[in-house]
Amino acid sequence: MLSNFKRYERQILLKEIGTEGQEKILKAKVLVVGAGGLGCPVLQYLVAAGVGTIGVVDDDVVCLSNLQRQVLFKEEQLGCNKAKAAKQNLSSLNANCKIAVYNTKLTKKNAFALINPYDIIIGCTDNFESRIIIDTITKQLSKPFIHGSLSEFEGQVTVFNYKNGASYKELFNEPDDHHEFSKGILGAIPGIIGGIQAVECLKIITNTGDILSGKLMIYNGLNASFNTITY
């Protein structure tokens, strides 16, 4: 029996997870690339769920305009590296979670070394280049790549390279138009999309439910709709 049963009791009560699933969560290693609008809710929910080891890759610093949607950070952390600030705040949420900080930009040179130690990679970046890099390495290593993107009142989630499933380059062979910083964004939208990314991650870890592999989920906050496209 888990020594910290009480903390995860509400997850363990789910018949699809139980103690066996929770043990898998505690042993899982997840890399989150980007600690911005999507990365913040992803990190908070995975740490709260008990994911054993989480890596955070981000070389950016917290700025005032981030606080409208990147709710993990605080005013007193303005100017701090996002990965380091994230670890500081997440450690107070769950001290049992090991958080590795990578104060660097993901590049073609360092991507393999960063991605290789982890089971699942969650892409929370806002640019085509980094998504292509993650896609290439996760495909090479046969690791799931949980992709999320944002634009104004909308967000998208899908899972690439899951059990030899479709890759990012097969769906987006040129830059897509979902960029957090190129357009405005309603602050709550990243919370919804990041939350779905976290759900997909926990489903993969526990081998539960249908994974968004070969399916692109699109949420539109203006008309309160979810649409799923098969590709």
Side-chain angles (χ1 to χ4, degrees), residues 45-58:
Y45 279 115
L46 293 186
V47 167
V51 172
T53 303
I54 297 179
V56 188
V57 181
D58 203 313

Side-chain angles (χ1 to χ4, degrees), residues 64-83:
L64 187 61
S65 64
N66 295 152
L67 301 184
Q68 166 256 6
R69 64 202 176 282
Q70 298 177 20
V71 294
L72 176 58
F73 304 124
K74 304 173 182 178
E75 288 185 352
E76 55 264 33
Q77 292 176 314
L78 292 175
C80 297
N81 169 256
K82 287 184 179 180

Side-chain angles (χ1 to χ4, degrees), residues 143-157:
K143 296 177 185 286
F145 165 25
I146 304 173
H147 163 71
S149 63
L150 306 166
S151 180
E152 300 180 343
F153 294 88
E154 187 178 288
Q156 302 179 351
V157 182

Side-chain angles (χ1 to χ4, degrees), residues 2-192:
L2 292 168
S3 60
N4 46 7
F5 175 89
K6 194 65 180 178
R7 176 187 284 268
Y8 307 114
E9 178 181 11
R10 300 302 290 272
Q11 283 179 175
I12 295 170
L13 287 173
L14 296 168
K15 62 181 178 61
E16 294 86 353
I17 296 181
T19 55
E20 182 179 349
Q22 187 61 49
E23 290 285 4
K24 291 178 181 178
I25 293 171
L26 294 171
K27 294 175 182 177
K29 298 179 180 180
V30 178
L31 183 69
V32 179
V33 183
L38 291 171
C40 284
V42 166
L43 288 165
Q44 286 171 298
Y45 279 115
L46 293 186
V47 167
V51 172
T53 303
I54 297 179
V56 188
V57 181
D58 203 313
D59 68 338
D60 198 7
V61 298
V62 181
C63 65
L64 187 61
S65 64
N66 295 152
L67 301 184
Q68 166 256 6
R69 64 202 176 282
Q70 298 177 20
V71 294
L72 176 58
F73 304 124
K74 304 173 182 178
E75 288 185 352
E76 55 264 33
Q77 292 176 314
L78 292 175
C80 297
N81 169 256
K82 287 184 179 180
K84 292 181 179 179
K87 178 176 181 177
Q88 179 182 2
N89 296 339
L90 293 167
S91 294
S92 65
L93 173 62
N94 189 346
N96 296 317
C97 179
K98 179 182 177 182
I99 301 172
V101 170
Y102 304 101
N103 180 4
T104 184
K105 180 180 179 179
L106 186 81
T107 66
K108 291 180 180 179
K109 291 184 178 181
N110 66 17
F112 186 92
L114 289 170
I115 290 172
N116 190 42
Y118 294 88
D119 307 317
I120 299 169
I121 313 306
I122 306 184
C124 300
T125 65
D126 65 339
N127 65 86
F128 182 71
E129 179 183 5
S130 63
R131 292 168 184 170
I132 288 293
I133 294 172
I134 297 170
D135 184 58
T136 300
I137 302 301
T138 52
K139 188 174 183 65
Q140 178 184 344
L141 295 172
S142 298
K143 296 177 185 286
F145 165 25
I146 304 173
H147 163 71
S149 63
L150 306 166
S151 180
E152 300 180 343
F153 294 88
E154 187 178 288
Q156 302 179 351
V157 182
T158 188
V159 179
F160 296 117
N161 305 325
Y162 176 70
K163 295 184 177 180
N164 297 315
S167 67
Y168 180 88
K169 284 181 281 191
E170 292 175 52
L171 183 61
F172 300 110
N173 55 17
E174 59 183 38
D176 61 88
D177 62 358
H178 282 66
H179 299 287
E180 182 182 346
F181 300 135
S182 62
K183 298 180 180 180
I185 181 74
L186 184 69
I189 300 296
I192 295 167

